[in-house]
């Protein structure tokens, strides 16, 4: 176990997923080139993961990689999604500590020195906690607020509020997460599950300056649903409770029907019967759907397919390449 204040960081990796970010990459490149010298004696590599971009992002990354060997690039065979891109970056990163950040610099580089200080104090996961989100719509702020509260109350009580993937993680935690074989990766939940010493670094989230968000509402909903069903059996438990409630209600209605039959009043009740049939039909389909969702997740997991396919790498030697990562290896 690391002791407080007992270590000095000498090698840092930055992992940056990139999906159709041609508008933002020149700004990222310029900001990083200004910022890197401020790290002083800390060696730094930047692992950029091109998640199957269809614009000129890869061409920019390829040119950037020529300027310095510390710029490492992975390019996927297609779009595998943000969490897969970060997972690949974590598998390829070699630093003693790894910072995960977005390409759009909404999470500022200026928060990283404080994260490093916390790491050197002995913390294994130093996550950025947003105290304010600038330039985002009220809708995005409200849904993000609701997402973290829902996740905390339903999925995992230790999941820190108002944190994205922007965080510094120690080598031992990166190795553990790399060894976790699940195909559905909700990384911030996985980091919370791993445990060790966690601490928050508060920061103001800037607005996106270039390009569009890659998380429209439909994708955010899918992400939230995936996070819930990959981390929690709560929806299935709720379905069981609902089933029990409907069964009790059905029993009471049987008693009522029997009573009506006894007093010879059996013609009435068509409306309530139709209502009941509709309600039972709807809730059964919903229950089957939720169970189906879990079966689908199990199906994806047992296939043991790789979580992503790396088509090309730049500035990554054979020795550094954890070879075609399979779901078992990465
Ligand atoms: N991203 C990715 N693959 C995707 C979607 C997004 O690699 O399928 C990257 C994207 O380029 C960015 C980061 O993930 O670096 C976060 O995306 P975005 O900034 O659009 O999310 P938001 O900040 O709006 O939640
Ligand atoms: Mg962003």
């Amino acid at each position: 176990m690391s002791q407080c204040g007992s270590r000095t960081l000498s090698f840092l990796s930055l992992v940056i997923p990139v999906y159709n970010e041609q508008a933002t990459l020149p700004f990222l490149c310029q900001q990083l080139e200004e910022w890197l010298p401020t790290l002083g004696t800390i060696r730094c590599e930047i692992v950029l993961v091109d998640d199957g971009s269809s614009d000129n992002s890869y061409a920019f990354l390829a040119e950037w990689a020529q300027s310095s060997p510390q710029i490492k690039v992975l390019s996927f065979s297609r779009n595998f999604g943000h969490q897969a891109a970060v997972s690949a970056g974590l598998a390829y990163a070699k630093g003693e500590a790894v910072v995960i950040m977005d390409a759009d610099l909404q999470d500022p580089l200026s928060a990283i020195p404080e994260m490093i200080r916390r790491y050197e104090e002995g913390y294994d996961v130093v996550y950025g906690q947003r105290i304010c989100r600038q330039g985002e719509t009220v809708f995005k702020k409200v849904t993000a607020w609701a997402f973290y509260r829902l996740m905390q109350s339903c999925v995992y009580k230790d999941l820190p509020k108002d944190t994205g993937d922007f965080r510094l993680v120690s080598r031992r935690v990166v190795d553990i997460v790399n060894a976790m074989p699940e195909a559905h990766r909700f990384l911030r939940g996985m980091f919370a599950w791993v445990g060790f010493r966690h601490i928050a670094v508060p920061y103001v989230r800037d607005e996106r300056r270039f390009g569009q968000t890659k998380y429209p509402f439909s994708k955010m909903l899918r992400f939230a649903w995936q996070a819930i069903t990959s981390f929690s059996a709560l929806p299935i438990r709720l379905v069981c409770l609902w089933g029990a409630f409907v069964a009790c209600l059905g029993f009471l209605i049987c008693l009522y029907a029997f009573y009506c039959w006894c007093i010879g009043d059996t013609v009435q009740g068509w409306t309530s019967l139709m209502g009941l049939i509709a309600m039972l039909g709807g809730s059964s389909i919903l229950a089957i759907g939720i169970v189906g969702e879990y079966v689908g997740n199990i199906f994806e997991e047992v296939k043991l397919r790789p979580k992503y396919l790396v088509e090309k790498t730049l500035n990554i030697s054979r020795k550094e390449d954890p070879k075609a990562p399979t779901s078992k290896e990465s």
Side-chain angles (χ1 to χ4, degrees):
M1 294 279 276
S2 317
Q3 297 302 308
C4 248
S6 64
R7 58 185 170 186
T8 313
L9 180 65
S10 59
F11 184 18
L12 176 72
S13 302
L14 297 188
V15 165
I16 309 180
V18 174
Y19 179 54
N20 291 347
E21 297 284 9
Q22 66 176 22
T24 208
L25 283 176
F27 178 66
L28 175 73
C29 173
Q30 180 231 325
Q31 293 289 305
L32 278 173
E33 273 168 13
E34 279 171 26
W35 178 80
L36 284 172
T38 66
L39 281 178
T41 53
I42 301 173
R43 194 154 67 90
C44 186
E45 66 168 8
I46 299 164
V47 183
L48 294 139
V49 185
D50 173 27
D51 184 13
S53 298
S54 53
D55 64 359
N56 289 325
S57 296
Y58 180 76
F60 185 92
L61 294 178
E63 206 175 306
W64 188 8
Q66 280 180 354
S67 70
S68 162
Q70 65 185 144
I71 307 298
K72 312 204 160 169
V73 177
L74 312 174
S75 177
F76 284 177
S77 61
R78 64 167 172 84
N79 179 244
F80 280 86
H82 177 207
Q83 301 291 292
V86 175
S87 300
L90 291 175
Y92 278 76
K94 292 282 169 282
E96 286 160 35
V98 180
V99 168
I100 302 165
M101 57 185 290
D102 291 354
D104 55 16
L105 289 182
Q106 277 188 284
D107 306 315
L109 291 166
S110 56
I112 298 178
E114 173 68 3
M115 291 181 169
I116 295 175
R117 202 176 63 74
R118 292 302 203 173
Y119 166 84
E120 291 183 337
E121 281 174 15
Y123 289 95
D124 281 283
V125 179
V126 188
Y127 51 85
Q129 193 159 42
R130 300 151 184 174
I131 45 172
C132 165
R133 291 164 161 257
Q134 284 178 351
E136 286 185 347
T137 60
V138 174
F139 181 72
K140 174 105 188 181
K141 285 182 187 166
V142 169
T143 48
W145 182 88
F147 173 79
Y148 292 110
R149 267 90 199 152
L150 180 77
M151 290 294 145
Q152 216 175 28
S153 52
C154 303
V155 177
Y156 205 63
K157 72 174 172 28
D158 293 333
L159 197 71
K161 279 195 275 272
D162 304 321
T163 58
D165 288 315
F166 181 44
R167 61 190 59 217
L168 178 147
V169 191
S170 71
R171 169 51 47 194
R172 66 173 169 180
V173 172
V174 170
D175 287 344
I176 294 167
V177 168
N178 284 345
M180 287 162 79
E182 60 238 61
H184 292 115
R185 298 176 87 74
F186 176 51
L187 284 167
R188 54 200 92 157
M190 290 162 77
F191 286 124
W193 180 89
V194 166
F196 295 107
R197 299 185 70 206
H198 284 226
I199 195 159
V201 166
Y203 72 102
V204 174
R205 188 164 213 240
D206 291 335
E207 60 186 302
R208 186 184 251 274
R209 293 181 195 216
F210 306 96
Q212 298 288 320
T213 175
K214 310 300 174 305
Y215 274 100
F217 183 62
S218 58
K219 209 166 164 184
M220 251 164 52
L221 263 188
R222 219 178 323 138
F223 180 68
W225 183 241
Q226 195 71 72
I228 291 174
T229 55
S230 63
F231 251 80
S232 158
L234 188 80
I236 293 236
R237 262 180 239 138
L238 290 180
V239 163
C240 290
L241 281 179
W242 174 242
F245 170 74
V246 171
C248 290
L249 198 71
F251 179 69
L252 292 179
I253 287 168
C254 283
L255 287 183
Y256 174 69
F258 181 67
Y259 165 75
C260 291
W261 179 77
C262 286
I263 62 169
D265 180 20
T266 48
V267 180
Q268 282 182 346
W270 183 83
T271 314
S272 57
L273 197 65
M274 288 310 284
L276 258 181
I277 290 171
M279 196 179 87
L280 286 176
S283 55
S284 312
I285 293 170
L286 177 74
I288 292 170
I290 292 181
V291 174
E293 197 67 38
Y294 281 87
V295 174
N297 278 357
I298 296 167
F299 178 62
E300 291 296 328
E301 297 289 346
V302 296
K303 277 194 283 187
L304 286 178
R305 284 195 185 160
K307 293 176 283 291
Y308 50 82
L309 292 173
V310 177
E311 187 185 348
K312 294 174 273 198
T313 62
L314 299 170
N315 288 343
I316 294 173
S317 65
R318 261 208 107 56
K319 212 170 77 204
E320 288 174 318
D321 194 329
K323 54 182 173 44
T326 64
S327 50
K328 272 194 178 149
E329 287 166 348
S330 55

